[in-house]
């Protein structure tokens, strides 16, 4: 009698999995720099570098890494003050869409549960924001998808963002440390502003490449398929060609590669299979990208020439260059 596949259990186990890599250790070191600097500033001898930019393509895993590490920073966890009031030293937000500098300020105030009363000009709003950050004991801010703050990439818009980012870490008598994460467009904020660059650290989440990361690719497939899902693999998913195809299908993005493997296993489980096959990967890739069979990395003869980001170019023109991310 065939073993019954518990698809729900497989999904739960697999999605709970976190692959710790050398990037996590590097990220911890960067965040520790901010943490240690905060302590040094209390003694009057800290560094002016109070920001960390974490930059990588969509699906690279940067958000999940940061979200996993921040709860480990004891000084940034919620607590009660001497009056019994809640103190939240760490604010984590994503910019609203659409987002300008005013909307960003309001989002930060909302995260602190501070209402904005009366009409305030943008400069007045940011003065109020800085006052509230200090009064409420905020020590650190993480803004994910920070590139969304730009409505456009005009020099004036970029300068406005740069000025605000510098202002947040220069509140008189109250040093705040900031983390910004986003896609490569985020690097725009650091270009052409030496003051902001001198106040920041930068960590890149580089894409995976084949064959350099072949061992990691194989480890991800083996762990997800065998350990998390309790399945076996067909022979055509155990070759170097398959591993290279998988890397290309994910555009080298670590998190996206994990997701493709998980979804292929989920598809197999939903179909009552105890083995994941190449056909599961090709179908999942088709569903994720909307590609035609001739543009499917897993089955097309010219798969090395395929660019996953161009999967829909046959039905829609590519976006114009120069647009905001």
């Amino acid at each position: 009698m065939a073993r019954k596949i518990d698809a729900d259990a497989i999904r739960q186990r697999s999605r709970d999995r976190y692959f710790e890599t050398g990037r996590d250790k590097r990220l911890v070191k960067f965040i520790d720099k901010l943490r240690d600097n905060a302590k040094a500033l209390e003694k009057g001898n800290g560094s002016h570098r109070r920001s960390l930019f974490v930059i990588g393509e969509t699906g690279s895993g940067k958000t999940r890494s940061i979200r996993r590490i921040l709860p480990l920073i004891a000084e940034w966890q919620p607590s009660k003050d001497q009056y019994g009031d809640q103190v939240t030293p760490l604010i984590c937000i994503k910019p609203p869409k659409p987002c300008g500098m005013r909307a960003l300020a309001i989002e930060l105030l909302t995260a602190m549960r501070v209402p904005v009363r009366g009409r305030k000009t943008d400069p007045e709003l940011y003065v109020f924001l800085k006052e509230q950050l200090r009064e409420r004991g905020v020590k650190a801010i993480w803004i994910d998808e920070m590139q969304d703050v730009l409505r456009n990439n005009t020099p004036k818009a970029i300068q406005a963002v740069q000025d605000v980012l510098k202002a947040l870490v220069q509140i008189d008598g109250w040093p705040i440390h900031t983390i910004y994460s986003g896609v490569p467009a985020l690097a725009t904020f650091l270009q052409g502003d030496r003051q902001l660059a001198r106040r920041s650290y930068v960590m890149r989440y580089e894409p995976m490449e084949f064959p350099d990361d072949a061992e990691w690719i194989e480890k991800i497939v083996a762990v997800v398929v065998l350990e998390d899902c309790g399945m076996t693999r067909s022979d055509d998913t155990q070759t170097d060609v398959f591993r290279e195809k998988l890397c290309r299908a994910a555009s080298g993005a670590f998190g996206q590669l994990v997701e493709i493997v998980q979804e292929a296993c989920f598809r197999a489980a939903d179909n009552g299979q105890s083995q994941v096959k190449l056909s599961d990967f090709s179908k999942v890739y088709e569903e994720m990208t909307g590609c035609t069979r001739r543009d499917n990395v897993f089955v097309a003869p010219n798969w090395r020439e395929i660019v996953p980001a161009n999967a829909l170019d046959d039905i829609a023109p590519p976006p114009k260059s120069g647009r905001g991310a």
Side-chain angles (χ1 to χ4, degrees):
M1 183 177 177
R3 178 170 60 89
K4 185 177 180 181
I5 303 296
D6 188 340
D8 290 338
I10 284 175
R11 280 180 168 83
Q12 185 64 49
R13 283 199 305 273
S14 189
R15 286 173 175 159
D16 285 344
R17 167 73 64 179
Y18 184 86
F19 288 91
E20 187 169 344
T21 71
R23 299 184 311 183
D24 293 272
K25 294 177 182 178
R26 286 189 64 222
L27 181 59
V28 168
K29 288 182 179 179
F30 274 117
I31 293 178
D32 277 345
K33 286 178 180 287
L34 302 184
R35 176 190 200 176
D36 293 342
N37 191 51
K39 295 177 181 177
L41 285 167
E42 291 177 358
K43 300 176 182 179
N45 59 357
S47 167
H48 55 265
R49 291 191 186 271
R50 302 177 190 174
S51 297
L52 170 62
F53 285 75
V54 183
I55 301 174
E57 293 287 357
T58 298
S60 60
K62 54 192 180 296
T63 296
R64 193 175 183 195
S65 294
I66 296 171
R67 189 180 292 133
R68 179 172 176 265
I69 290 170
L70 289 182
L72 304 179
I73 311 300
E75 305 94 298
W76 294 353
Q77 303 315 302
S79 62
K80 299 284 187 179
D81 64 14
Q82 57 184 328
Y83 305 107
D85 295 327
Q86 181 82 0
V87 178
T88 306
L90 172 66
I91 293 178
C92 305
I93 69 164
K94 285 188 177 183
K97 296 182 181 180
C99 183
M101 299 314 300
R102 184 177 185 85
L104 179 66
I106 293 174
E107 188 73 13
L108 287 167
L109 288 165
T110 300
M112 291 186 285
R113 299 178 182 176
V114 177
V116 179
R117 296 188 175 92
R119 293 186 178 183
K120 288 182 172 61
T121 64
D122 288 1
E124 289 172 340
L125 183 63
Y126 270 91
V127 168
F128 179 64
L129 170 62
K130 289 190 287 184
E131 289 173 350
Q132 291 300 312
L133 289 169
R134 179 174 180 171
E135 289 181 14
R136 293 173 184 273
V138 174
K139 297 180 179 179
I141 299 172
W142 171 33
I143 304 180
D144 194 19
E145 304 297 344
M146 181 63 190
Q147 75 281 344
D148 287 341
V149 172
L150 275 184
R151 291 180 176 176
N152 54 63
N153 57 359
T154 64
K156 184 177 180 180
I158 294 172
Q159 184 178 349
V161 176
Q162 292 167 332
D163 290 344
V164 166
L165 299 191
K166 288 183 289 188
L168 286 177
V169 295
Q170 296 182 83
I171 300 174
D172 290 340
W174 190 254
I176 287 179
H177 290 75
T178 54
I179 301 170
Y180 307 108
S181 53
V183 300
L186 182 57
T188 303
F189 300 143
L190 293 171
Q191 295 173 323
D193 192 319
R194 294 184 62 186
Q195 286 187 336
L196 182 58
R198 287 185 64 248
R199 288 176 169 84
S200 306
Y201 295 104
V202 181
M203 178 177 174
R204 297 188 184 202
Y205 266 50
E206 298 284 5
M208 301 177 77
E209 296 182 352
F210 188 91
D212 295 355
D213 295 302
E215 289 187 14
W216 256 112
I217 296 169
E218 173 58 24
K219 178 179 180 179
I220 290 169
V221 178
V223 168
V224 172
V225 176
L226 304 177
E227 295 184 21
D228 295 344
C229 299
M231 295 176 143
T232 60
R233 300 160 59 186
S234 60
D235 291 343
D236 52 13
T237 67
Q238 301 186 54
T239 67
D240 275 342
V241 170
F242 169 76
R243 287 183 274 274
E244 186 177 356
K245 286 182 175 181
L246 180 58
C247 187
R248 176 167 289 272
S251 299
F254 191 96
Q256 190 168 343
L257 191 146
V258 173
E259 182 185 12
I260 291 173
V261 180
Q262 290 174 333
E263 290 297 328
C265 292
F266 300 162
R267 182 179 188 276
D270 288 339
N271 290 333
Q273 302 168 202
S274 60
Q275 182 179 78
V276 63
K277 305 175 182 178
L278 183 66
S279 58
D280 296 307
F281 284 90
S282 65
K283 187 62 178 178
V284 162
Y285 179 77
E286 175 189 326
E287 293 171 348
M288 286 181 166
T289 65
C291 71
T292 61
R293 185 171 179 80
R294 68 176 179 271
D295 290 326
N296 191 312
V297 169
F298 290 101
V299 296
N302 65 331
W303 60 272
R304 282 193 175 93
E305 301 171 14
I306 295 173
V307 178
N310 298 341
L312 300 177
D313 281 4
D314 61 316
I315 58 174
K320 296 179 181 179
S321 60
R323 295 284 298 274

